[in-house]
Amino acid sequence: MAIEAPAPVPAHPRSVDELRVAAAGCRACDLWERATQTVFGEGTEGARLMLVGEQPGDREDVTGAPFVGPAGEVLDRALEEAGIDRRQAYVTNVVKHFKWEPRGKRRIHQRPNTEEIRACRPWFEAEVERVKPQLILCLGATAAQALISPTFRVTRQHGILFPSTFGPMIAATVHPSSILRAPDQQAREAAYAGFVADLREVAGASVRRRG
Ligand code: URA
């Protein structure tokens, strides 16, 4: 997949909104061609907690906001149970266009590749620069492998705090959609409980910590 142009990140953005406007025209990889729009991060500048998923899904592609579909519903419920107000967090993705392939009338999610993730990275770095979170929490393996280490294993390393090259500490937990894909009710409940525990213990601490 060809990288087409450098991401048009403004040199000295004054706000996340300025970044969002610039990102709307990003052609740094070719995912924009099949996506409805760029789905940029959302939330408060100065948020202590930054949640980072993989890429927008079908619903996010249509609405233009991250984590508003089925995975977002799981995330919202888990955040509430962990005592975290989503409005205190900044929510984004490592890739900001929906990558999909048609299957009948449905658009099926496809995992972004290394080049697409690399092409989108300047946007993530600019978001971190503006938001200045105290903790980045990766949701799922794609974000964790892109932002912590290519060999990261969420099953073994979830909930552990690492120093990051971005400045703030970084950790990972499962992706909320992996909970929806669990094979049965028991597995779903166990995965969800683990997700809430990670949010409470790792992310909750960053939100409660005094700045
Ligand atoms: N999955 C993600 O990783 N991000 C979203 O915004 C929605 C679903």
Side-chain angles (χ1 to χ4, degrees):
M1 192 159 295
I3 300 298
E4 305 195 336
V9 180
H12 303 291
R14 276 159 306 188
S15 65
V16 167
D17 282 343
E18 189 180 331
L19 290 171
R20 181 178 296 108
V21 169
C26 186
R27 305 287 185 261
C29 75
D30 58 14
L31 291 184
W32 66 273
E33 286 180 19
R34 303 181 76 182
T36 307
Q37 57 192 314
T38 306
V39 178
F40 208 69
E42 265 191 13
T44 329
E45 280 195 36
R48 291 184 179 151
L49 173 63
M50 181 179 269
L51 299 167
V52 192
E54 179 189 289
Q55 61 163 338
D58 184 86
R59 187 92 203 107
E60 289 78 15
D61 175 71
V62 172
T63 60
F67 281 102
V68 292
E73 284 171 24
V74 175
L75 175 64
D76 286 351
R77 191 153 58 88
L79 284 172
E80 198 175 321
E81 258 182 65
I84 298 167
D85 184 347
R86 177 166 167 167
R87 290 167 303 182
Q88 289 180 7
Y90 183 88
V91 182
T92 191
N93 287 297
V94 284
V95 167
K96 290 170 173 49
H97 281 113
F98 179 36
K99 182 176 182 180
W100 59 278
E101 64 172 18
R103 195 172 304 158
K105 288 187 178 162
R106 296 179 61 209
R107 302 192 301 169
I108 304 299
H109 158 277
Q110 290 214 289
R111 196 174 172 157
N113 64 33
T114 312
E115 282 190 0
E116 290 151 355
I117 292 170
R118 195 179 305 128
C120 221
R121 191 178 176 108
W123 294 116
F124 175 74
E125 290 173 354
E127 287 176 297
V128 173
E129 186 64 28
R130 282 299 329 162
V131 176
K132 297 197 181 358
Q134 294 187 354
L135 175 74
I136 298 170
L137 183 63
C138 304
L139 304 175
T142 302
Q145 289 170 1
L147 303 179
I148 304 177
S149 158
T151 59
F152 195 91
R153 291 285 167 269
V154 174
T155 41
R156 289 204 303 269
Q157 294 170 292
H158 68 95
I160 301 173
L161 285 171
F162 298 91
S164 81
T165 51
F166 306 104
M169 297 297 281
I170 192 162
T173 185
V174 295
H175 194 286
S177 61
S178 70
I179 297 167
L180 295 170
R181 287 195 307 268
D184 54 45
Q185 181 70 11
Q186 199 183 353
R188 226 174 349 267
E189 282 172 13
Y192 180 73
F195 184 43
V196 173
D198 279 349
L199 287 174
R200 190 174 283 135
E201 286 161 29
V202 183
S206 80
V207 173
R208 287 189 290 272
R209 202 176 297 141
R210 291 187 188 283

